């Protein structure tokens, strides 16, 4: 009995034997690339229509192929499709099933095409949807942050450096800092999506094809801006995946930083914010516990997303042109990172929408830790004409005095203040409250409530 029977039906012509079981296991990608079934079928339908348009196959064959592909798609969507590991990947699984359904015309579909341009096209289409999902996920998150900022434009809280109280800021200003970060993430995804939107289809194996194909036609049918200009590059480029992953990594870093703040803020020691029950969990042993699990998991997701980026960068490094099978390792990285990112964005949006800043606690905390010391130094400069360095020194002495007496700066008496600088008068107390402090920070980008409201307005208009 000839082994030839078990060799691959798609390319078994030169093979006497089928693959070893281990070969099949390392080679097959169907277990994960079946996620690109819809993209594969869309690409094939566009290719078949173009082949007919160009007179390369008959209209009748193209129609049969295109209809048959829809049947395959409905089988996949309804869960009746039987995937075969022997057929390696989604491309060959779909084509083999098409052949079972429509017979001979199925064999004409692969004219002027290779799995190399096919997989690049499918994967680009899949990743392009993820760019879009990231962009709309970030838009939603920014919307939730803008609501928080608008509600809390006047609400004072401590601003930190080194996680030590630095100067009072507003809740709205803090929320708007994340709006800026997520806006940059969003623009990175938008920017990369524009760059990636070129069609590899028709690059064939690596060198193009002698068939009179029309790559503009398939590019347009699949929503690409144009066909990619170099066939070698088209089949070996995975920059779009790397740009998705690097944008995702930076975005996940921002999510992680914000998640960390929410973990700290929701602790009993800070009590800055109350997270909703919908995004918290309890403990099976400690009845009092309400844990910020969603925030913790968002904080952690950056680990696997960064892992995916480094994983794919390492796969691509040193690969000669054009296609190499190494590149099959691209998909799981992007699939996993995209799943993680979309989930993290949705969870963060939900948490931000629900969370309640604890105003009394924030206002009290804003006034502790000598947070208006800079305002006092600025007053000495402005009102007494003191050089800033001297004002810094005088204020430092007053902070030390307050600390020794166990009081905050506004609680020092005028007489006590005058021991550090005789010219200080009672007007100084005007600048020592946190409300006055934040209201004075009107420099562009500063924390003043009026600035926050202006920025909220700007971003709402931008996102509308
Ligand atoms: N499953 C393959 C991949 O993901 C499809 C392309 C195979 N091409 C080839 N020449 N063997 O990359």
């Amino acid at each position: 009995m000839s082994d030839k029977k078990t060799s691959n039906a798609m390319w078994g012509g030169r093979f006497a034997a089928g693959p070893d079981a281990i070969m099949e296991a390392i080679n097959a990608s169907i277990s994960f690339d079946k996620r690109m079934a819809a993209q594969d079928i869309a690409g094939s339908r566009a290719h078949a229509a173009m082949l007919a348009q160009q007179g390369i196959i008959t209209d009748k064959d193209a129609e049969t192929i295109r209809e048959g592909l829809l049947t395959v798609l409905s089988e996949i969507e309804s869960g009746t499709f039987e995937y075969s590991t022997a057929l390696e990947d989604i491309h060959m699984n779909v084509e083999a099933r098409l052949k079972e359904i429509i017979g001979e015309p199925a064999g004409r579909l692969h004219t002027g095409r290779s799995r190399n341009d096919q997989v690049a096209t499918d994967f680009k289409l899949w990743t392009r949807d993820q760019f879009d999902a990231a962009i709309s996920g970030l838009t939603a998150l920014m919307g939730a942050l803008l609501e928080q900022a608008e509600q809390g434009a006047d609400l004072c809280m401590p601003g930190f450096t080194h996680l030590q109280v630095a100067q009072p800021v507003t809740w709205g200003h803090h929320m708007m800092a994340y709006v800026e970060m997520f806006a940059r993430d969003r623009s990175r995804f938008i920017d990369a999506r524009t760059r990636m939107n070129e069609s590899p289809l028709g690059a064939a194996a690596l060198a193009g094809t002698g068939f009179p194909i029309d790559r503009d036609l398939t590019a347009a049918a699949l929503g690409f801006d144009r066909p990619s200009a170099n066939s070698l590059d088209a089949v070996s480029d995975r920059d779009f995946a790397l740009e998705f992953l690097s944008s995702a990594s930076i975005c996940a870093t921002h999510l992680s930083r914000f998640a960390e703040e929410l973990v700290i803020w929701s602790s009993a020691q800070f009590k800055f914010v109350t997270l909703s029950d919908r995004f918290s969990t309890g403990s099976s042993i400690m009845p009092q516990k309400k844990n910020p699990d969603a925030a913790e998991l968002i904080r952690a997701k950056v680990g696997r997303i960064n892992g995916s980026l480094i994983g794919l960068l390492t796969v691509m490094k040193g690969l000669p042109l054009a296609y190499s099978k190494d590149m099959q390792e691209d998909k799981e990285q992007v699939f996993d990172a995209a799943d993680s990112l979309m989930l993290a964005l949705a969870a963060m949006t939900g948490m931000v929408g629900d969370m309640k800043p604890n105003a009394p606690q924030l206002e009290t905390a804003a006034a502790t830790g000598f947070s208006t010391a800079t305002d006092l130094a600025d007053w000495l400069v402005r009102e007494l004409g003191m050089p800033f360095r001297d004002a810094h020194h005088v204020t430092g002495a007053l902070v030390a005095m307050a600390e020794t007496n166990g009081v905050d700066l506004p609680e020092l008496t005028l007489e006590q203040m005058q021991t550090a600088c005789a010219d200080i008068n009672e007007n100084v107390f005007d600048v020592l409250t946190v409300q006055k402090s934040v209201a004075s920070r009107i420099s562009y980008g500063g924390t003043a409530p009026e600035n926050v409201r202006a920025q909220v307005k700007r971003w709402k208009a931008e996102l509308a």
Side-chain angles (χ1 to χ4, degrees):
M1 191 182 96
S2 161
D3 255 350
K4 184 137 181 144
K5 272 205 186 119
T6 53
S7 71
N8 192 296
M10 295 291 157
W11 39 255
R14 86 177 294 300
F15 282 78
D20 188 88
I22 300 294
M23 176 60 204
E24 190 171 293
I26 195 172
N27 199 36
S29 53
I30 188 61
S31 64
F32 51 86
D33 68 15
K34 61 181 168 199
R35 284 187 73 169
M36 305 191 308
Q39 289 75 13
D40 191 71
I41 286 169
S44 289
R45 280 173 48 84
H47 185 68
M50 180 277 292
L51 290 177
Q53 184 90 20
Q54 298 300 103
I56 300 167
I57 63 173
T58 65
D59 287 344
K60 187 164 169 292
D61 280 348
E63 220 16 71
T64 309
I65 290 168
R66 284 167 54 81
E67 278 300 311
L69 285 167
L70 287 184
T71 307
V72 176
L73 182 62
S74 70
E75 289 179 3
I76 289 171
E77 283 172 345
S78 67
T80 59
F81 189 93
E82 275 179 46
Y83 294 101
S84 151
T85 308
L87 288 168
E88 280 189 38
D89 56 26
I90 187 63
H91 324 296
M92 300 212 289
N93 268 268
V94 168
E95 195 182 318
R97 180 66 188 132
L98 181 68
K99 181 143 193 248
E100 284 173 5
I101 298 170
I102 68 167
E104 192 254 10
R108 302 183 187 279
L109 170 60
H110 213 51
T111 314
R113 180 179 83 167
S114 148
R115 267 192 299 159
N116 297 348
D117 58 338
Q118 189 179 358
V119 71
T121 304
D122 294 2
F123 191 33
K124 259 197 171 178
L125 290 172
W126 194 92
T127 307
R128 193 175 67 186
D129 284 347
Q130 301 306 309
F131 274 104
D132 291 337
I135 292 162
S136 53
L138 281 161
T139 308
L141 175 54
M142 289 169 71
L145 286 163
L146 287 170
E147 288 311 312
Q148 284 285 348
E150 193 162 41
Q151 299 298 315
D154 297 283
L155 175 56
C156 293
M157 65 177 284
F160 298 90
T161 60
H162 315 265
L163 200 56
Q164 309 287 322
V165 171
Q167 294 174 353
V169 295
T170 55
W171 175 263
H173 198 52
H174 202 115
M175 295 300 119
M176 292 306 288
Y178 283 103
V179 168
E180 293 292 332
M181 292 153 83
F182 293 125
R184 287 194 296 275
D185 293 331
R186 188 168 168 275
S187 77
R188 261 184 286 278
F189 283 113
I190 291 171
D191 181 48
R193 190 209 189 277
T194 310
R195 198 168 19 256
M196 64 92 79
N197 205 28
E198 295 185 341
S199 173
L201 194 56
L206 75 163
T209 176
F211 290 103
I213 60 170
D214 183 343
R215 293 190 60 206
D216 289 297
L217 206 63
T218 45
L222 296 170
F224 288 111
D225 296 328
R226 66 192 79 82
S228 49
N230 182 297
S231 59
L232 289 168
D233 177 50
V235 296
S236 65
D237 164 44
R238 292 296 180 272
D239 288 3
F240 61 96
L242 292 172
E243 285 204 79
F244 178 82
L245 291 173
S246 52
S247 305
S249 274
I250 299 173
C251 179
T253 300
H254 294 155
L255 286 167
S256 184
R257 292 180 70 176
F258 192 22
E260 165 71 353
E261 297 210 290
L262 295 179
V263 170
I264 295 174
W265 292 355
S266 62
S267 69
Q269 288 67 33
F270 269 76
K271 288 205 196 76
F272 279 10
V273 72
T274 305
L275 301 176
S276 74
D277 289 356
R278 300 199 309 148
F279 289 95
S280 308
T281 59
S283 156
S284 55
I285 177 169
M286 296 166 283
Q288 86 285 9
K289 292 278 278 191
K290 183 168 153 187
N291 295 326
D293 292 41
E296 293 165 83
L297 288 162
I298 293 169
R299 185 173 60 185
K301 290 291 182 200
V302 66
R304 51 203 290 167
I305 294 173
N306 287 354
S308 295
L309 171 62
I310 300 304
L312 186 56
L313 280 170
T314 311
V315 166
M316 295 307 295
K317 169 195 174 301
L319 281 189
L321 297 185
Y323 177 85
S324 297
K325 196 62 173 262
D326 309 50
M327 289 158 72
Q328 179 167 287
E329 291 286 315
D330 55 3
K331 287 162 212 72
E332 285 163 292
Q333 306 290 3
V334 175
F335 291 169
D336 186 74
D339 291 344
S340 301
L341 183 71
M342 301 319 153
L343 197 52
L345 282 171
M348 187 57 99
T349 304
M351 263 196 309
V352 171
D354 281 9
M355 73 184 182
K356 302 260 182 295
N358 182 352
Q361 181 74 12
L362 287 164
E363 303 267 0
T364 306
T368 58
F370 313 107
S371 65
T372 54
T374 314
D375 299 84
L376 172 53
D378 288 349
W379 184 89
L380 295 170
V381 170
R382 216 172 36 242
E383 301 300 321
L384 306 184
M386 208 180 263
F388 182 77
R389 286 293 161 214
D390 297 346
H392 187 284
H393 192 80
V394 169
T395 306
L398 289 170
V399 166
M401 185 188 298
E403 196 163 38
T404 310
N405 296 350
V407 297
D408 252 303
L409 273 180
E411 291 154 5
L412 288 174
T413 65
L414 184 56
E415 292 68 36
Q416 285 174 315
M417 292 220 188
Q418 286 169 341
T419 63
C421 169
D423 293 341
I424 294 180
N425 59 57
E426 69 273 357
N427 293 340
V428 74
F429 292 102
D430 286 348
V431 301
L432 296 183
T433 68
V434 291
Q435 282 76 14
K436 285 271 170 54
S437 171
V438 298
S440 75
R441 299 285 196 270
I442 51 169
S443 58
Y444 183 74
T447 194
E450 57 180 285
N451 280 3
V452 172
R453 275 188 275 272
Q455 290 298 324
V456 169
K457 202 167 150 209
R458 173 173 84 87
W459 275 113
K460 281 197 167 175
E462 189 124 337
L463 295 180

